[in-house]
Amino acid sequence: MATETQQHAIDTMLLEERRYEAAPDFARQANAQPEIYERDWQEFWETEGRERVTWFEPFTELYEWNPPYAKWYLGGKLNVCFNCVDRHVEAGRGGQVAYYWEGEPEGERREIRFADLQRDVVRFANALKGLGVRKGTPVAIYMGMVPELPVAMLACTRLGAPHTVVFGGFSAESLADRMNDMECEVLITQDEGWRAGKTVPLKRNADEAVANASTVKKVVTLRRTGNDVPFDESRDVWWHEAVDGQSADAESCPCEPMDSEDLLYLLYTSGTTAKPKGIIHTTAGYLVGVAATHHYIFDVKPDSVYWCAADVGWVTGHSYIVYGPLCNGTTGVLYEGVPNYPNPERWWEIIERYKVDILYTAPTAIRSHMKWGPEHAQKHDLSSLRLLGSVGEPINPEAWVWYREHIGGDRTPVVDTWWQTETGMILITPLPGITTLKPGSATKPFPGVDAAVYSENGQTVGPGGGGYLVLKRPWPAMLRGIYKDDERYRETYWSKYEDVYFAGDGARVDEDGDFWLLGRVDDVMNVSGHRISTIEIESALVDHKKVAEAAVCGRKDERTGQAIVAYVTLKGGDEGSIDMLEELRNHVGTKIGPIAKPANIVFTPELPKTRSGKIMRRLLRDVAENRALGDTTTLADPTVVEEIKERAATEAPEE
Ligand code: WTA
C-alpha cells in the first residue's frame, strides 16, 4: 500500500461500472466518425484551419512552439466578426435565427436572425468608432444576458478592439481591477439586469468602478429595465442614442483584417489567490479551436437549436454561446435569467418552446434540478433533445445518470467536457456516436490533443492510478500567456514539469485510456497517508437516494493527518438526523471503503459556490478547522457560509 501511495500522487477508489454504448442511429449520422482519431494531429488542425473559417489571407505556417509560448496559423489574416456574422449573410443565410432570446420576465422574447445580428453589430460598431474605438482599443463589457452582449463583443471584434467581458454578478471592485489591468478606454454596460425576479444595479456598480479606473473615458449604457440610473452627461452615452442614425450597411464598417495572433480578448480568472489573471486569447487559433470542437462534440446540424445555458461572462459563454456556435452558423438560445424563475419548470418550457436538440450546462445546475425533483421536467415534451453536455466540475455519476434519464429520456448521449478558461476550447471529451460513455468520465482527449496523467516527479501514471493532468503539446486555442505577467504564467502552468502544461487538476486514466477528473489538486485530502480526491466521496454520497448535493473537505486530525468532513444537502428540503448521518457514513463505507467514511457530516440547505457554480471547498476547510474565512469575494451567496458555520458548530463530531 505504501509504495502504491508513493507512486500515485492521488489514490483512487471509486469504481463506476455503468457503460453506455453509442446508438447505431446516432453513430451513422454523427459529425465525428471513428477515423477522426486516426488522423495525424498536424494534418487535422491544418484542415480544420483551412475549412472551418474564412481567411482574408491564408496562413503560411501551422504553428510555432517556443515553450511556453505558442503561435498558430502564422501569416494568416481574418476577422472573427466576419466569420461569425457576415459570411453567413453573404451565403444567403441571413434569415436563419442566430439567437432565440428569452428574457427572465415572462413573455419577453426576441428572435435575432443573422441579418438582424449583422445590422445591430454594424450600427453599434459604427457607434463605437464614433467614440474613438479603433483597432487595438481595449474595451470592457459588463452586462447581463441580453442580445446586446454578443452584439457588443462582435462589434469589438469587427473593429479589432480587444474586449474583456466581466460577469454581471461581479462587484464594482472586481470590475475596476480588470479595467485597470487591461487599461480599458470604453465600458459597455446596461442600466440594470434581471436575476431571480430582482434587478441587478449594473450601471451603479459600473459608475463606482469607473471612479477607480481612470483610463475609462466613455461609458455606453443599454436601457434594459428602464429604471432611473445615475447618468453623467460628460462621460455617459445611451446605447440607443449612440446607434441612432448610424449606418447598418456592412460596407460602412468593414471587418478589420486581423493577424492570426492579434489579441482577441482577455478573460480574468480568479483562481485561489487574490489577484485575477488576465488570460490571453488570440484570433485564429481560438476561433478554429472553438468552432471545430463545437461542431464535432455537440454534433451540431444546420437545423439544430443549440442551448448552452451558461453565462456569456464565463469562458463557456465566450467559446460555446458566442464564438464557436456563431462561427458555425448555429441557431442558439440565449436565456437571461436563473433556472428556477418563476419556478423550476422554466428551462423545460424553453426546451419545449424552441425544440432545443442540444443542451450544455454545468453539474451544479443538474444537481439543483435533481434537488427540485424530476416532476418539473416531466410536465414538458423534451423529445427534441438529441444530446446533453456538462462542463465546469467533475460530474457525479448519479447526476450524470439522472441527467440522461430524466432530461435525455434515457436515449441521448451525455458529453462530459473537460477544459478551462486557459485552454479556450474543450480538450477532453467523448465524441457522440463513437465513444462508449461512462458516467463520471470525460473519456478521451479530443483529436489532436495529447493529455496524460503524471506522478509527482513527472512519470506517466499507469492505468488506474491517480495523478496530475498535463497537456503535452500545444493546441490552437491555448492561452497565449497571462496579460502583463510572464513570470506568473511560467510559474502557474509550466514550472511543475518542464515543457508540459500543468492544468492543476487531479485525474486518473483507466484501462481503456479514459480520463476521470478528480478536481483541483488543492482539494486533495490526505487521510492516513492516502491521497483522496474529494469528488469520489462526494459522488458516493450523491449516490444515496436522499442526497441532492455534497461537498467534502479535509480538516486537521492528530491521528490521521486529515479527517474527512462532508457537507450534505438532502433532497426535498430534508433537515437530516443522527440516523441519516450514520446511514450516509455506512453508504460511503460500502461504496468506497471504510477509509473514506466521513468523520463528520454537516447537513445544510445550500453549499458555498462561486458565481460560476463551483463548490468552494477552501471555505469549507476554514469552517471545518474553525478558522477565519479566507477571501469570500467570489462567493455567489455569502450568507450560505454563515449558515454552515452555525450548523457546523451545533453538530456533534461523530468520532
Ligand atoms: C473544472 C470552465 C471535471 C476543472 C470551462 C478545471 C472540470 C476548471 C470539467 C476550469 C469537467 C471543468 N470535469 N472538472 N468536465 N470542466 N472542470 O476556467 O477543475 O471556469 O480546471 O473553465 O473547472 O474552470 P473554468
Side-chain angles (χ1 to χ4, degrees):
M1 211 50 173
T3 50
E4 209 166 286
T5 4
Q6 273 152 22
Q7 266 170 10
H8 301 158
I10 303 171
D11 296 325
T12 66
M13 296 170 294
L14 189 69
L15 274 192
E16 168 58 54
E17 285 176 334
R18 285 169 284 195
R19 299 289 179 269
Y20 297 78
E21 302 284 341
D25 298 0
F26 196 106
R28 260 192 298 278
Q29 59 82 62
N31 291 353
Q33 292 296 321
E35 54 77 31
I36 197 170
Y37 286 113
E38 316 288 307
R39 288 169 63 179
D40 169 73
W41 70 276
Q42 299 195 31
E43 176 276 320
F44 178 77
W45 288 125
E46 174 95 25
T47 309
E48 287 299 320
R50 300 224 182 274
E51 294 175 2
R52 190 73 46 202
V53 307
T54 305
W55 298 86
F56 294 156
E57 278 173 41
F59 59 90
T60 51
E61 199 186 335
L62 180 63
Y63 77 108
E64 184 190 287
W65 179 224
N66 287 321
Y69 289 99
K71 290 182 179 166
W72 281 83
Y73 302 115
L74 288 87
K77 293 239 188 279
L78 75 170
N79 180 281
V80 168
C81 183
F82 182 81
N83 274 280
C84 290
V85 183
D86 295 59
R87 65 168 177 161
H88 305 312
V89 178
E90 283 177 13
R93 292 196 299 273
Q96 190 193 320
V97 173
Y99 290 119
Y100 288 108
W101 178 74
E102 171 109 5
E104 192 187 77
E106 274 182 293
E108 284 198 44
R109 282 169 214 151
R110 277 166 64 184
E111 273 182 30
I112 296 113
R113 294 165 193 275
F114 277 95
D116 303 326
L117 193 60
Q118 186 183 42
R119 181 199 61 215
D120 292 351
V121 169
V122 169
R123 291 178 76 202
F124 191 61
N126 274 322
L128 288 178
K129 262 206 277 189
L131 296 173
V133 177
R134 299 281 177 272
K135 180 175 179 178
T137 310
V139 175
I141 303 176
Y142 180 62
M143 300 178 88
M145 288 281 284
V146 289
E148 288 81 0
L149 170 53
V151 167
M153 295 162 75
L154 292 164
C156 288
T157 66
R158 189 175 195 89
L159 299 173
H163 61 66
T164 188
V165 178
V166 179
F167 171 58
F170 275 127
S171 64
E173 200 183 320
S174 312
L175 174 60
D177 287 349
R178 289 158 173 76
M179 292 195 296
N180 283 326
D181 191 63
M182 195 181 181
E183 300 172 66
C184 294
E185 293 175 27
V186 171
L187 167 62
I188 304 165
T189 186
Q190 64 189 63
D191 52 4
E192 296 172 321
W194 281 116
R195 194 186 154 75
K198 298 201 182 69
T199 56
V200 183
L202 293 170
K203 176 63 162 69
R204 216 170 275 277
N205 293 343
D207 283 351
E208 230 183 279
V210 172
N212 294 311
S214 57
T215 53
V216 179
K217 300 290 177 267
K218 289 286 172 195
V219 178
V220 186
T221 307
L222 175 82
R223 200 169 255 161
R224 167 68 186 108
T225 64
N227 292 330
D228 266 349
V229 291
F231 199 82
D232 171 350
E233 296 289 343
S234 67
R235 183 200 67 193
D236 295 353
V237 211
W238 286 108
W239 179 299
H240 57 274
E241 289 177 4
V243 297
D244 192 36
Q246 298 289 358
S247 172
D249 180 2
E251 312 258 301
S252 71
C253 185
C255 294
E256 186 73 36
M258 302 298 285
D259 191 89
S260 290
E261 282 299 328
D262 276 336
L263 177 60
L264 180 64
Y265 69 77
L266 297 183
L267 186 60
Y268 288 84
T269 160
S270 17
T272 42
T273 53
K275 191 174 178 290
K277 311 185 275 256
I279 303 300
I280 300 173
H281 284 295
T282 57
T283 304
Y286 176 79
L287 193 65
V288 174
V290 296
T293 45
H294 179 255
H295 174 79
Y296 293 114
I297 298 166
F298 298 109
D299 196 47
V300 185
K301 304 296 187 206
D303 61 350
S304 279
V305 180
Y306 158 89
W307 183 18
C308 168
D311 195 288
V312 170
W314 308 117
V315 74
T316 306
H318 282 62
S319 299
Y320 297 109
I321 297 179
V322 182
Y323 294 120
L326 291 181
C327 186
N328 288 333
T330 305
T331 297
V333 171
L334 195 65
Y335 169 54
E336 185 181 34
V338 300
N340 58 341
Y341 184 85
N343 59 54
E345 280 177 50
R346 188 65 190 267
W347 273 25
W348 318 124
E349 251 172 56
I350 293 175
I351 289 176
E352 186 172 22
R353 177 170 315 124
Y354 302 110
K355 303 205 170 28
V356 170
D357 63 334
I358 303 159
L359 174 67
Y360 188 33
T361 185
T364 179
I366 299 164
R367 292 187 307 253
S368 294
H369 286 293
M370 285 172 80
K371 191 161 76 178
W372 298 324
E375 61 273 20
H376 306 289
Q378 273 155 19
K379 290 191 208 138
H380 296 273
D381 177 8
L382 305 183
S383 60
S384 55
L385 287 170
R386 282 192 313 121
L387 183 120
L388 301 174
S390 169
V391 60
E393 281 185 294
I395 182 165
N396 319 101
E398 234 28 61
W400 191 106
V401 170
W402 189 95
Y403 191 31
R404 172 168 161 122
E405 287 181 354
H406 293 284
I407 308 307
D410 206 9
R411 108 193 142 257
T412 60
V414 176
V415 292
D416 173 6
T417 63
W418 178 89
W419 60 297
Q420 308 177 300
T421 303
E422 293 87 337
T423 69
M425 61 184 242
I426 296 168
L427 292 186
I428 303 182
T429 178
L431 287 179
I434 304 180
T435 314
T436 296
L437 305 169
K438 302 175 179 177
S441 170
T443 71
K444 300 271 194 293
F446 185 77
V449 172
D450 190 5
V453 172
Y454 274 14
S455 68
E456 198 63 52
N457 56 12
Q459 309 286 324
T460 303
V461 178
Y468 304 117
L469 180 65
V470 298
L471 300 163
K472 296 170 66 177
R473 79 161 79 100
W475 61 98
M478 74 186 279
L479 75 167
R480 302 299 196 258
I482 297 176
Y483 195 57
K484 294 196 235 170
D485 205 341
D486 169 65
E487 201 182 308
R488 191 162 176 207
Y489 175 58
R490 291 173 187 275
E491 162 68 30
T492 312
Y493 309 106
W494 304 95
S495 65
K496 188 163 176 84
Y497 308 111
E498 267 168 43
D499 288 4
V500 304
Y501 173 89
F502 173 68
D505 280 349
R508 86 178 147 91
V509 182
D510 67 16
E511 294 67 21
D512 305 320
D514 286 325
F515 284 70
W516 299 73
L517 277 302
L518 301 171
R520 301 296 298 165
V521 292
D522 309 334
D523 290 337
V524 171
M525 302 170 294
N526 193 326
V527 183
S528 306
H530 296 271
R531 308 247 306 144
I532 304 177
S533 84
T534 52
I535 180 67
E536 295 197 323
I537 297 167
E538 289 163 4
S539 290
L541 286 162
V542 175
D543 178 77
H544 189 280
K545 60 185 184 304
K546 294 263 173 63
V547 175
E549 267 199 298
V552 161
C553 69
R555 71 161 151 71
K556 280 201 189 70
D557 184 275
E558 279 184 7
R559 192 166 55 84
T560 56
Q562 274 188 311
I564 300 170
V565 184
Y567 298 83
V568 170
T569 306
L570 296 173
K571 283 183 187 157
D574 198 330
E575 281 280 312
S577 62
I578 294 289
D579 288 348
M580 191 65 204
L581 191 152
E582 231 0 82
E583 196 175 317
L584 292 182
R585 291 187 73 238
N586 290 332
H587 187 72
V588 176
T590 7
K591 287 290 294 187
I592 303 187
I595 176 95
K597 277 187 179 184
N600 188 21
I601 296 180
V602 179
F603 294 103
T604 168
E606 293 290 341
L607 297 171
K609 292 182 189 156
T610 63
R611 290 184 171 87
S612 65
K614 297 188 208 293
I615 297 171
M616 284 184 77
R617 296 177 187 77
R618 172 172 64 74
L619 288 182
L620 293 174
R621 282 198 294 271
D622 291 343
V623 173
E625 295 187 342
N626 245 324
R627 270 195 308 269
L629 298 181
D631 183 13
T632 56
T633 50
T634 50
L635 264 185
D637 177 2
T639 60
V640 171
V641 235
E642 290 309 319
E643 163 110 29
I644 291 177
K645 268 172 88 174
E646 265 167 46
R647 285 174 186 254
T650 52
E651 204 92 23
E654 218 284 332
E655 279 172 336

